[in-house]
Amino acid sequence: MRDDAPMSQLRSTEVVGGRRAWRWLLGLPGLALFGLADSAYLLWQHRTARMAFCLAGGCDVVNQGEYSEINGIPLAAFGVGAYLLLLVLSIMAVTLDSRRTLGMIVAIAGIGVAVSAWLIYLQVAVIESICVWCVLSALTMTSLFTLSLSAFLMIRPLELSEPTNQTQMPQSQTKVLRYAFRFPLMALGMLALLAAMLGGLFRLGWDWSAVPSTLPAVHGPLMVSGFLGTLIGLERAVAMGKWWPAVGPLSTGVGTLVLITGVPGVVGPALMTFGSLALVITFVHLIRGQPALFTVTMGLGALAWLTGNTLWLSGWPVVNVVSWWAAFLILTIAGERLELSRFLPLAQRHRFSFLAAAGLFAAGLLLAGMTFDIGTRLSGLGLVALSAWLLRHDMARHSVQKAGLHRFVALSLLAGYVWLMVAGLLTVSLGGVAAGLHHDATLHAIHEHSGPDGYDATLHAIFVGFVFSMIIGHAPIIFPSVLGISLPFRPAFYSHLILLHLSLALRVVGDITAWWPGRLGGGLLNVVAVLLFLGNMALSAAQGKRSVALVDAGR
C-alpha cells in the first residue's frame, strides 16, 4: 500500500497539471485576437498614412519608414496573417483537443518571437524610434509562445481531451442554439441584404439622394459576408446543434452594423474576416468527423471566403478579391449538392469528374494571381464543367418530374446551373475583363460608362442568377429548419423566380450590348424580385402559422 501511494499521488498531480494547462489554452485565442487587432490597426495606419496614437512618439517613424515593408508588402500585413493563423490554430487546439496543433502554435509563435526581437533591435539601434504598438505586438507574440510552450510540455498526448469532459456543460445547454438567438442573427443578415441592394442600385446608376453615402462602397462585402456569410454560418451552426459555430454569424452580423454606419478603419473588415475564420474552423471540425469529398469541397469554399476577406482587410480593393468571394459560394453550393447526391446511384467516375471540374476552377483561381487573364479563363472552363456536372448529375433532374414544392425547388436549381454556365462562358470568352480587369470601381452612374460591361454581367450571373436561385429554391426548406416556422408551398412562389431570371437576362443583355436602359431597368427589377421573394416568404409564414393554429384548435 505504501508503494502505491506515491504513484497515485503522482498521477493526481499530473491530472491537476493537465487541467491547469488546459485552462491556460483558453487564453491563446484571446491573445491571438488581441495581436490580430493590433496588427490590423498598424496595417490601417500604414495604408492611410494617418498619425497614430503613440505614447513614445515614434510609431509613425517606424510604421512609415524604410523598414516597414518587404518587397512592397507592409510588415503589418505579415502580422495580420500570422495572428490569423495562430487564432485558427489556437481555437482548434481548444475545441478539437489536438496536441499536434498546439505544437504548431509553439513553432509559429517561436518564429514570431524571433522576428519581433529583430524588429525591436532595429527600432532601438537603427531607426532610434520606438513604436509602442509594435512593442505590444512583440509582447503578445512572446506571451503566445510562452503559454503554448508551457501547455505543450505539461500536457501529455492523451491528457488534452480529459479536462474537457470535466468542464463540459450539460449537453442540453451546449448543443442547442436557441431560437431567441437565431432570429436576431437572421435579422442582421436580412438587414445586410436590404442595405446591399440599396447600395447596389446607387452603383448601378440610380442616383438617389436618400441612399446613405456609406452603402455603395460596401455593396459587395454586405452582400457576400453580411448576408450570405451570416446565412450560411447560421445554417451550419443549427445543423451541428452546437453554440460555438454561431460566433461566426454573430461576428459578420455585427460587422454589418459597422459597415452600414460607416465606422472608419478596419473594424468592419476585421469582424467579417473573423466570421469567415469561424466558418473555416467549423468545417475543420466537420471534416475531422466526416472526411468526404463534399465536406472538403465546402471547407475549401470557406477557406476561399477567408482568403478574400483577409486580402480585403489588407487593403485590396473589392474588385480584386471578389473572385475569392465567388469561389466561396460556388464551392459551398456545389459541395452541398454533392452531399445530396449520396441518395442517387452515383458512380465513382462521376465523383472523379466532379473533383476534376472543381479542381480546374480552383487551379484557375490560383493561377490568376500570376497570369491574370489565363488563370481567369481557366477558372471559367472550370465553371462550365462544374455547371455541366450539376445539370447532369444533380437530383433536381429527377425532382423536376414531381409536383408542388419538389418541382419548384428543382426548377430553381436547374435555372441557377444554367446561369453558372453563362458566367463560365462569359469568363472564358472575356478573360480578365470578366473578372474586373480595366474595371474602374469609382464609376457609379450609367452615363460614365462608355462600352460593354462584361464584369457586371459575369458577376451578377453568378451572384444573382446562380446564388439567388439556390437561395430561392432552398428557402422553403432551410428557413423552417433554422427558424422553426412553417412555409407551405404556394404557386405564387413562381412569381419571384420568373421575375428574377427575366430581369437578370435583361440586365446581362444590357451589359454586353452597352444598352444602358436595359442594364438599369434589369438591375432595378432584380431588387424588386428579391423583395417579392421576401414578401412571398412572409405570406407563406403567416399562412403556415394560421394552419398550425387551426390544427391546434381542432384538437
Side-chain angles (χ1 to χ4, degrees):
M1 293 293 292
R2 291 179 181 176
D3 293 338
D4 292 340
M7 181 63 68
S8 175
Q9 233 176 13
L10 179 60
R11 287 176 179 173
S12 177
T13 303
E14 288 176 349
V15 170
V16 171
R19 291 177 183 174
R20 184 182 298 114
W22 183 84
R23 287 197 295 267
W24 290 356
L25 291 180
L26 299 178
L28 292 178
L31 285 170
L33 188 59
F34 181 79
L36 176 62
D38 182 34
S39 295
Y41 177 72
L42 285 171
L43 180 60
W44 177 62
Q45 292 290 346
H46 181 85
R47 290 288 189 184
T48 59
R50 295 186 180 183
M51 293 187 63
F53 171 76
C54 188
L55 295 176
C59 297
D60 294 325
V61 176
V62 175
N63 201 25
Q64 304 293 338
E66 60 176 318
Y67 294 99
S68 63
E69 295 184 353
I70 297 179
N71 293 329
I73 303 176
L75 287 177
F78 291 104
V80 168
Y83 281 116
L84 270 175
L85 181 58
L86 287 169
L87 183 58
V88 173
L89 293 174
S90 60
I91 295 176
M92 288 173 60
V94 174
T95 59
L96 304 182
D97 303 341
S98 174
R99 188 172 185 266
R100 181 180 298 178
T101 303
L102 190 59
M104 295 173 63
I105 296 175
V106 174
I108 295 171
I111 296 173
V113 168
V115 174
S116 297
W118 171 250
L119 295 176
I120 295 297
Y121 165 77
L122 287 177
Q123 293 179 49
V124 174
V126 180
I127 305 175
E128 298 182 349
S129 293
I130 298 296
C131 171
V132 174
W133 299 104
C134 303
V135 173
L136 193 60
S137 176
L139 292 174
T140 303
M141 187 65 74
T142 303
S143 300
L144 276 165
F145 175 71
T146 304
L147 196 61
S148 60
L149 180 61
S150 301
F152 183 80
L153 294 176
M154 292 185 66
I155 298 176
R156 294 188 176 184
L158 298 179
E159 285 181 343
L160 189 57
S161 60
E162 183 176 353
T164 58
N165 295 328
Q166 305 291 333
T167 58
Q168 270 188 339
M169 297 175 62
Q171 182 174 354
S172 61
Q173 295 182 27
T174 59
K175 290 197 172 184
V176 176
L177 185 62
R178 299 182 181 276
Y179 288 113
F181 189 65
R182 300 180 194 180
F183 277 97
L185 292 181
M186 181 65 76
L188 288 173
M190 291 302 163
L191 177 64
L193 172 62
L194 296 175
M197 290 193 300
L198 199 57
L201 286 176
F202 186 87
R203 293 180 62 87
L204 190 62
W206 292 96
D207 193 1
W208 295 332
S209 58
V211 177
S213 59
T214 58
L215 297 185
V218 293
H219 162 68
L222 282 176
M223 185 63 75
V224 175
S225 295
F227 171 54
L228 296 167
T230 300
L231 197 64
I232 293 171
L234 177 59
E235 186 270 333
R236 280 292 143 188
V238 172
M240 290 178 63
K242 298 179 182 293
W243 66 267
W244 60 264
V247 172
L250 177 61
S251 179
T252 54
V254 175
T256 292
L257 297 177
V258 171
L259 292 181
I260 290 175
T261 54
V263 175
V266 297
V267 179
L271 286 169
M272 296 302 190
T273 303
F274 182 74
S276 57
L277 174 63
L279 188 63
V280 170
I281 296 171
T282 299
F283 274 107
V284 169
H285 181 80
L286 289 173
I287 293 170
R288 189 169 178 249
Q290 188 178 12
L293 180 56
F294 65 87
T295 54
V296 172
T297 301
M298 290 187 282
L300 290 175
L303 187 61
W305 184 29
L306 176 60
T307 302
N309 280 346
T310 303
L311 295 175
W312 179 47
L313 177 64
S314 301
W316 286 38
V318 169
V319 67
N320 291 342
V321 303
V322 73
S323 295
W324 290 98
W325 291 342
F328 157 52
L329 299 168
I330 292 168
L331 292 176
T332 299
I333 294 170
E336 289 178 344
R337 300 312 302 173
L338 180 64
E339 180 182 8
L340 293 176
S341 69
R342 293 179 299 168
F343 301 106
L344 297 175
L346 201 61
Q348 190 67 20
R349 68 179 185 276
H350 297 146
R351 298 186 184 277
F352 280 125
S353 62
F354 176 90
L355 182 61
L360 187 63
F361 169 67
L365 189 65
L366 295 173
L367 186 61
M370 295 175 285
T371 58
F372 189 70
D373 189 73
I374 295 176
T376 300
R377 295 179 191 273
L378 186 63
S379 67
L381 283 175
L383 288 182
V384 172
L386 195 57
S387 60
W389 191 95
L390 291 168
L391 285 168
R392 175 64 181 84
H393 298 293
D394 193 276
M395 62 187 306
R397 291 180 62 249
H398 305 277
S399 302
V400 75
Q401 301 173 12
K402 300 179 181 180
L405 180 61
H406 293 286
R407 176 175 292 176
F408 173 77
V409 173
L411 288 174
S412 300
L413 300 183
L414 293 174
Y417 301 153
V418 171
W419 278 114
L420 185 64
M421 180 169 288
V422 169
L425 293 173
L426 286 172
T427 304
V428 171
S429 60
L430 298 176
V433 174
L437 188 65
H438 309 311
H439 178 78
D440 188 352
T442 63
L443 300 181
H444 298 320
I446 58 171
H447 64 269
E448 293 176 316
H449 292 276
S450 58
D453 193 348
Y455 172 70
D456 186 84
T458 305
L459 205 62
H460 289 88
I462 295 174
F463 285 98
V464 177
F466 175 63
V467 175
F468 264 93
S469 289
M470 301 300 111
I471 294 173
I472 287 174
H474 288 109
I477 303 170
I478 298 298
F479 284 1
S481 64
V482 171
L483 300 178
I485 60 176
S486 175
L487 289 178
F489 172 73
R490 301 168 63 241
F493 285 3
Y494 282 102
S495 62
H496 56 255
L497 179 65
I498 294 172
L499 180 60
L500 181 79
H501 293 295
L502 290 179
S503 60
L504 180 58
L506 178 64
R507 177 176 187 162
V508 170
V509 170
D511 278 329
I512 296 175
T513 62
W515 179 43
W516 301 120
R519 177 179 187 262
L520 189 64
L524 179 61
L525 289 175
N526 288 161
V527 172
V528 173
V530 174
L531 294 176
L532 183 60
F533 156 67
L534 296 177
N536 278 330
M537 292 299 103
L539 290 174
S540 178
Q543 179 181 339
K545 188 175 182 180
R546 285 195 300 269
S547 300
V548 171
L550 289 174
V551 171
D552 292 340
R555 288 178 179 176

